[in-house]
């Protein structure tokens, strides 16, 4: 079992004909993902990697029954692409693009919310249900089917944790990179709720970082009663205030967004906090076995 | 991206926000000239650096005549102004803003901010202007009024009235304030600002509203479509190494330690910095060479790290995902051979083809310490530094 995506998911890739889009779509197909369509305005009628290309997402959905879109277009056009996918009726839009202006995301998020369409990202590695469906840029081989759910605000940090879990013999139900921007789609709280109801998930890992209050909100959900063990890590414990640590959303402003406050909230909620990243996999393994 | 007070005021004035008349000066003579061209008999000389708390640090002076303006400018220009936001070394003041003094009856606070949780802009106002607003929010939250903007909607008059009557303004002042808040929102949306703050917003003895300070943060991701804003960037406000790194396409932040770190991906780079610091060493920087690190980026990373004279050891931490570890190891070896590597190097590789990658490192003939895990990498760095002392 899993959440959001599985072997029946039908993916349309927006920006399939671009260099990055094509490279990662090829990797996704090799992993076993059903990539059923591509969209590049003006290139409708072509075929790339054996996948038909359409001018609009609406057309792609109509012709192929795609139900999840992957957005792989430059930042300036990404918000528009997400809205196009939502309007075409997909259930989930996964946005990989980074450096999307915040004002664009405010409008796009409201557009998606009105239509009840979920989003993962932007500025994220994507979502994967190991062994079934990979939508994004993750290295597929580090994952292994299993029962640990994982949600992370980062990219390579996620891979590090997944690798540790797999090396410790723990497979994953679904792993979601929710992105490092100030405004994102699905967040820790919403994903905790989805994992709560997924019989295939036995434990959840939350990989956070400085900035915002997503970790504190997640801790409140767990504190109110959560049926599965939750593990937490927060990057940036030693980050100086006022400096953007790579991600647009990873910044301590004033007294807000500090890692120590997030870790304290998590611990108070009963989340098992791991401070030394190198020990994450072993800690989860020890607790679950 | 941050801008100076004078730039914020000029931009706000373009959108119709009243600000005091004034001018920029880089020398004491220029400061006196600016003051001579202003009316009134009180002038304010203000240091222009990107930091709050300038007044307490001696960077803002009220002057009664031109001689005092001259003295104030002489003392502020060239000083290392230390505030709670600058760090202990302070910031060198290159420019002062000289403006007409304002007859202040009351001081308010107003701001347009990105509310991350609500995923929209929020507009805030407080009658407790001129103070640290975080402190006001903590100690007297009832003195902070806020309203959220609906995406795609303007800020309606009623929203402004709620905020401003809340602050105790009279009807005439509320009318002025409504126009001002609407101008600030229009500016924020037009120029992609994620924070616009006026603290204090003064009400004069005559009942007029005027912005005595201005702080704006612009969204870096939107600078390309706002070239006029991108031009406002002051390179002297950024660490020279950080500027150089930006030109090389690297995501680099200088810190005060002696262990250079090079990592692929921002989250992992932050976690690596933490691991180094927690092992008892001090990271000299945060450096993300990009999720798909390659030889070219690693070479650039070496270049920037070694420009920092404080660096006594380097830790490379790379998770090979789509890019294989053997290719990455080849990149590290080849980049290291091209430079004069004067400090010990610890390399931790993980991911696809990791065994082949480590073999390449070990057989390179270079004095690498190879670590198998993050904990081991940090311990090796600490050991290497300990051995040097």
């Amino acid at each position: 079992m899993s959440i959001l995506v599985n072997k029946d998911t039908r993916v349309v890739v927006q920006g399939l004909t671009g260099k990055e889009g094509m490279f990662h779509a090829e990797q996704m197909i090799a992993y076993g993902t059903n990539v059923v369509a591509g969209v590049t305005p003006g290139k409708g009628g072509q075929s790339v990697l054996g996948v038909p290309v359409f001018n609009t997402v609406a057309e792609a959905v109509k012709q192929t029954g795609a139900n999840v879109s992957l957005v792989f277009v430059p930042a300036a056009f990404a918000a528009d692409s997400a809205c196009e996918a939502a309007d075409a009726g997909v259930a989930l839009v996964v946005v990989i693009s980074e450096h999307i202006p915040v004002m664009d995301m405010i409008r796009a998020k409201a557009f998606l919310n009105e239509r009840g369409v979920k989003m993962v990202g932007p500025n994220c590695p994507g979502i994967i249900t190991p062994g079934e469906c990979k939508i994004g840029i993750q290295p597929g081989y580090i994952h292994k089917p299993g029962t640990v759910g994982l949600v992370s605000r980062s990219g390579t940090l996620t891979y590090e944790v997944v690798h540790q879990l797999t090396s410790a013999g723990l497979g994953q139900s679904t792993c979601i990179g929710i992105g490092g921007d100030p405004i994102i789609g699905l967040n820790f709280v919403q994903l905790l709720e989805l994992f709560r109801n997924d019989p295939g998930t036995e434990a959840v890992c939350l990989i956070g970082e400085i900035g915002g209050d997503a970790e504190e909100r997640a801790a409140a959900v767990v504190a109110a009663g959560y049926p599965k063990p939750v593990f937490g890590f927060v990057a940036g414990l030693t980050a100086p205030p006022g400096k953007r640590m790579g991600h647009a959303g990873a910044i301590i402003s004033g007294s807000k967004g500090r890692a120590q406050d997030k870790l304290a909230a998590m611990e108070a909620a009963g989340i098992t906090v791991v401070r030394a990243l190198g020990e994450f996999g072993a800690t989860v393994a020890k607790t679950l076995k | 991206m941050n801008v100076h007070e004078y730039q914020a005021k000029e931009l706000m004035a373009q959108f119709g926000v009243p600000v005091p008349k004034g001018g920029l000066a880089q020398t004491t003579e220029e400061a006196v000239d600016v003051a001579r061209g202003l009316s009134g008999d009180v002038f304010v000389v203000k240091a222009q650096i990107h930091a709050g708390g300038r007044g307490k640090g001696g960077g803002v002076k009220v002057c009664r005549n031109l001689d005092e303006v001259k003295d104030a400018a002489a003392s502020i220009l060239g000083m290392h102004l230390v505030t709670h936001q600058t760090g202990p070394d302070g910031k060198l003041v290159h420019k002062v803003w000289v403006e007409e003094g304002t007859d202040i009856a009351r001081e308010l606070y107003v701001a347009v901010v990105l509310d991350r949780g609500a995923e929209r802009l929020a507009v805030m106002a407080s009658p407790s202007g001129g103070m640290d607003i975080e402190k006001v929010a903590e100690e007297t939250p009832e003195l902070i009024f806020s309203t959220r903007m609906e995406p795609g909607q303007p800020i309606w008059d009623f929203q402004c009235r709620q905020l401003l009557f809340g602050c105790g303004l009279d009807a005439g002042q509320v009318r002025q304030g409504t126009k001002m808040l609407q101008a600030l929102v229009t500016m924020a949306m037009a120029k992609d600002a994620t924070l616009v703050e006026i603290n204090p917003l003064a009400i004069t003895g005559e009942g007029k509203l005027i912005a005595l300070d201005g702080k704006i943060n612009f969204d870096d991701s939107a600078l390309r479509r706002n070239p006029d804003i991108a031009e406002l960037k002051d390179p002297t406000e950024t660490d020279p190494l950080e500027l150089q790194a930006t030109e090389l396409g690297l995501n680099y932040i200088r810190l005060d330690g002696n262990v250079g770190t090079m990592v692929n991906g921002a989250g992992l780079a932050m976690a690596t910095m933490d691991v180094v610091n927690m092992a008892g060493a001090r990271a000299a920087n945060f450096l993300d060479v990009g999720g798909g690190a390659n030889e070219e980026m690693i070479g650039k990373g070496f270049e920037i790290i070694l420009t920092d004279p404080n660096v006594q050891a380097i830790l490379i931490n790379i998770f090979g995902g789509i890019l294989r570890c053997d290719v990455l190891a080849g990149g590290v070896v080849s980049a290291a051979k091209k430079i004069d590597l004067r400090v010990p190097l610890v390399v931790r590789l993980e991911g696809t083809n990791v065994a082949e990658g480590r073999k390449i490192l070990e057989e390179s003939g270079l004095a690498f310490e190879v670590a198998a895990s993050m904990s081991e990498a940090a311990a090796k760095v600490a050991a290497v530094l300990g051995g040097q002392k």
Side-chain angles (χ1 to χ4, degrees):
Chain A
M1 284 292 283
S2 58
I3 62 168
L4 296 166
V5 300
N6 59 33
K7 59 182 183 350
D8 299 323
T9 300
R10 299 171 68 79
V11 183
V12 50
V13 178
Q14 292 175 260
L16 175 68
T17 59
K19 189 179 158 214
E20 294 271 298
M22 205 183 303
F23 175 80
H24 289 289
E26 195 171 9
Q27 303 264 327
M28 284 161 52
I29 292 167
Y31 193 77
T33 308
N34 294 323
V35 178
V36 297
V39 170
T40 302
K43 296 200 176 171
Q46 296 183 9
S47 172
V48 169
L49 306 168
V51 174
V53 179
F54 299 89
N55 284 322
T56 67
V57 182
E59 211 183 326
V61 167
K62 195 174 160 199
Q63 300 288 334
T64 68
N67 55 6
V68 174
S69 166
L70 174 64
V71 175
F72 240 125
V73 306
F77 316 111
D80 174 64
S81 292
C83 291
E84 181 184 2
D87 200 55
V90 301
L92 174 71
V93 186
V94 180
V95 186
I96 305 299
S97 321
E98 64 174 319
H99 304 306
I100 301 175
V102 169
M103 294 296 173
D104 292 3
M105 275 325 296
I106 290 178
R107 295 187 193 101
K109 187 75 193 293
F111 189 95
L112 267 67
N113 285 347
E114 267 173 32
R115 285 157 184 78
V117 176
K118 296 185 174 78
M119 176 168 69
V120 167
N123 188 13
C124 79
I127 175 169
I128 180 169
T129 291
E132 298 190 26
C133 178
K134 168 173 114 86
I135 304 176
I137 59 175
Q138 315 91 329
Y141 83 95
I142 58 171
H143 301 80
K144 172 182 154 176
T147 59
V148 178
L150 188 143
V151 191
S152 170
R153 288 173 63 185
S154 170
T156 48
L157 178 54
T158 315
Y159 310 157
E160 168 78 32
V161 173
V162 168
H163 183 79
Q164 286 186 25
L165 291 172
T166 298
S167 303
L170 297 166
Q172 305 89 38
S173 52
T174 302
C175 303
I176 306 104
I178 58 175
D181 276 4
I183 291 186
I184 58 169
L186 291 171
N187 57 33
F188 283 144
V189 169
Q190 291 164 310
L191 289 161
L192 274 171
E193 292 308 333
L194 292 177
F195 278 128
R196 182 200 295 270
N197 300 319
D198 174 34
T201 299
E202 286 176 11
V204 182
C205 302
L206 303 176
I207 310 300
E209 64 186 25
I210 55 166
D213 62 357
E215 293 77 8
E216 286 88 338
R217 288 171 185 237
V221 168
V222 176
Y226 198 75
K228 303 172 184 186
V230 180
F231 300 86
F233 174 82
V234 177
L237 197 52
T238 63
K243 294 277 190 183
R244 241 169 251 283
M245 305 306 276
H247 293 153
I251 182 163
I252 299 171
S253 46
S255 60
K256 295 205 186 91
R258 292 185 300 200
Q260 52 267 44
D261 298 336
K262 295 173 180 297
L263 291 171
M266 284 179 158
E267 261 169 355
I271 295 173
T272 305
V273 166
V274 181
R275 283 189 165 71
L277 179 61
E279 287 152 31
F280 198 94
T283 306
V284 179
K286 203 169 68 189
T287 312
L288 293 187
K289 276 172 186 168
Chain B
M1 187 191 96
N2 295 328
V3 295
H4 289 294
E5 173 198 359
Y6 77 91
Q7 295 166 321
K9 279 181 170 166
E10 282 170 0
L11 192 64
M12 290 193 300
Q14 283 172 30
F15 281 82
V17 175
V19 299
K21 283 202 183 77
L24 192 69
Q26 303 198 41
T27 64
T28 49
E29 293 74 26
E30 281 174 21
V32 173
D33 282 348
V34 169
R36 196 174 282 129
L38 298 174
S39 53
D41 47 12
V42 180
F43 311 96
V44 188
V45 179
K46 307 181 80 176
Q48 298 298 296
I49 59 166
H50 291 183
R54 290 168 298 163
K56 276 185 198 154
V60 178
K61 290 195 157 60
V62 178
C63 308
R64 301 279 157 193
N65 54 51
L66 295 180
D67 282 340
E68 285 185 23
V69 168
K70 191 178 169 189
D71 292 346
S75 73
I76 295 173
L77 283 165
M79 81 184 286
H80 285 270
L81 181 53
V82 180
T83 82
H84 67 287
Q85 290 181 354
T86 61
D89 296 336
K91 276 190 171 170
L92 180 60
V93 182
H94 298 281
K95 294 175 255 194
V96 291
W97 173 253
V98 183
E99 70 182 17
E100 291 177 6
T102 301
D103 169 26
I104 303 169
R106 282 186 65 188
E107 293 186 330
L108 311 175
Y109 169 95
V110 296
V112 180
V113 299
L114 172 67
D115 182 336
R116 288 170 64 153
E119 300 173 337
R120 55 198 64 192
L121 292 179
V123 182
M124 295 166 55
S126 171
S128 300
M131 296 161 64
D132 178 356
I133 201 66
E134 280 205 9
K135 220 173 190 177
V136 176
E138 203 174 292
E139 291 168 6
T140 49
E142 70 279 9
L143 293 181
I144 305 251
F145 301 89
S146 72
T147 187
R148 284 171 182 159
M149 306 259 315
E150 290 298 316
Q153 300 264 331
I155 178 166
W156 296 103
D157 291 8
F158 83 88
Q159 293 178 292
C160 301
R161 288 197 300 270
Q162 279 177 356
L163 298 181
L164 298 166
F165 278 118
C167 289
L169 269 59
D170 67 30
Q173 293 160 357
V174 168
R175 271 196 295 277
Q176 294 176 54
T178 297
K179 271 190 190 161
M180 183 183 277
L181 291 179
Q182 287 171 337
L184 293 177
V185 167
T186 303
M187 179 184 79
M189 297 189 39
K191 301 295 177 186
D192 288 282
T194 50
L195 171 73
V196 181
E197 193 177 65
I198 301 178
N199 189 20
L201 167 66
I203 300 179
T204 66
E206 293 175 333
K208 298 270 188 271
L209 271 62
I210 186 164
L212 294 191
D213 201 353
K215 179 180 174 184
I216 310 180
N217 290 347
F218 294 97
D219 180 359
D220 292 317
S221 296
L223 289 177
R224 198 175 286 181
R225 68 184 179 199
N226 295 305
D228 55 328
I229 301 301
E231 266 180 26
L232 300 179
K233 190 178 174 82
D234 179 352
T236 66
E237 281 288 333
T238 309
D239 182 279
L241 276 183
E242 290 182 18
L243 274 184
Q244 198 184 330
T246 306
E247 279 166 23
L248 293 172
L250 297 169
N251 205 336
Y252 173 92
I253 292 166
R254 193 173 184 178
L255 304 169
D256 56 7
N258 55 4
V259 179
T261 64
M262 184 175 351
V263 188
N264 64 331
L268 191 59
M270 225 188 307
T272 304
M273 173 190 78
D274 290 341
V275 166
V276 167
N277 291 337
M278 288 192 283
R282 294 286 304 162
N285 63 276
F286 161 98
L287 172 58
D288 166 18
V289 293
N294 55 27
E295 181 185 334
E296 191 197 353
M297 295 308 275
I298 290 168
K300 286 175 176 176
F302 272 129
E303 194 180 317
I304 209 81
I305 288 176
L306 289 168
T307 310
D308 179 352
N310 297 330
V311 168
Q312 290 171 8
I314 296 177
L315 168 60
I316 297 185
N317 184 17
I318 288 182
F319 194 97
I322 300 285
L323 269 172
R324 302 191 319 266
C325 285
D326 48 341
V327 177
L328 288 166
V332 171
V333 170
S334 145
K337 279 184 174 162
K338 281 184 198 149
I339 52 154
D340 168 27
L341 192 59
R342 56 178 168 77
V343 298
L345 180 66
V346 178
V347 186
R348 185 267 178 157
L349 273 184
E350 190 55 83
T352 326
N353 291 1
V354 66
E356 292 90 329
R358 288 190 192 142
K359 202 169 158 210
I360 290 170
L361 292 176
E362 273 154 13
E363 291 174 354
S364 67
L366 294 166
F368 295 152
E369 289 267 357
V370 180
S373 69
M374 290 203 52
S375 322
E376 191 186 325
K380 283 197 168 176
V381 164
V384 161
L385 285 176
Q388 280 185 335
K389 278 170 195 165

